Structure formats: structure tokens, C-alpha cells
């Protein structure tokens, strides 16, 4: 049996939704604003992507043998 990651299925879905929203919002903000506030959306998207990748690694880790 595969080990579960540290995110539940619901948290994982919200993480993907947050990543997609931030990834779409960053280029829109860059086009519509004159300042560099779009970098915040980019950083948020990268942090959420890192959490999703870490959860994937945890889920794919084999169960320890006893």
C-alpha cells in the first residue's frame, strides 16, 4: 500500500486550485499594473507548487519494511 502524503485529498485539490489561480493571476497583474506586485503572485505559485511536489514525493515513498 502506498503511504499517504501530508496533504489530504481535499487539501491537495485546494493546493492545485490555488496554484492555478496564482499562476494565471501573475501574468495578468504584470500586464495590468505598472509596479512589480505581480512578483508576489509568482512567489505564492512557486511556494504552493513546492508543497504539491513535496506531497507527491511523500506519497511515492515506499512503506518502510518491518
Amino acid at each position: 500500500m502506498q503511504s499517504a502524503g501530508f496533504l489530504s485529498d481535499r487539501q491537495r485539490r485546494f493546493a492545485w486550485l490555488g496554484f492555478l489561480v496564482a499562476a494565471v493571476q501573475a501574468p495578468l497583474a504584470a500586464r495590468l499594473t505598472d509596479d512589480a506586485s505581480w512578483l508576489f503572485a509568482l512567489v505564492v505559485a512557486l511556494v504552493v507548487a513546492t508543497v504539491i511536489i513535496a506531497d507527491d514525493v511523500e506519497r511515492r515513498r515506499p512503506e518502510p519494511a518491518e
Side-chain angles (χ1 to χ4, degrees):
M1 182 172 133
Q2 289 288 97
S3 63
F6 54 86
L7 294 177
S8 68
D9 287 337
R10 184 175 179 177
Q11 289 172 329
R12 190 171 170 80
R13 274 186 253 127
F14 279 126
W16 272 107
L17 179 65
F19 169 74
L20 292 174
V21 167
V24 168
Q25 193 263 341
L28 288 175
R31 184 170 302 273
L32 298 175
T33 61
D34 294 331
D35 60 359
S37 62
W38 60 272
L39 284 172
F40 181 71
L42 184 65
V43 170
V44 169
L46 290 173
V47 168
V48 173
T50 303
V51 170
I52 293 170
I53 291 169
D55 184 60
D56 281 345
V57 168
E58 185 71 25
R59 286 175 186 257
R60 286 181 171 81
R61 181 173 291 155
E63 293 265 341
E66 292 186 27

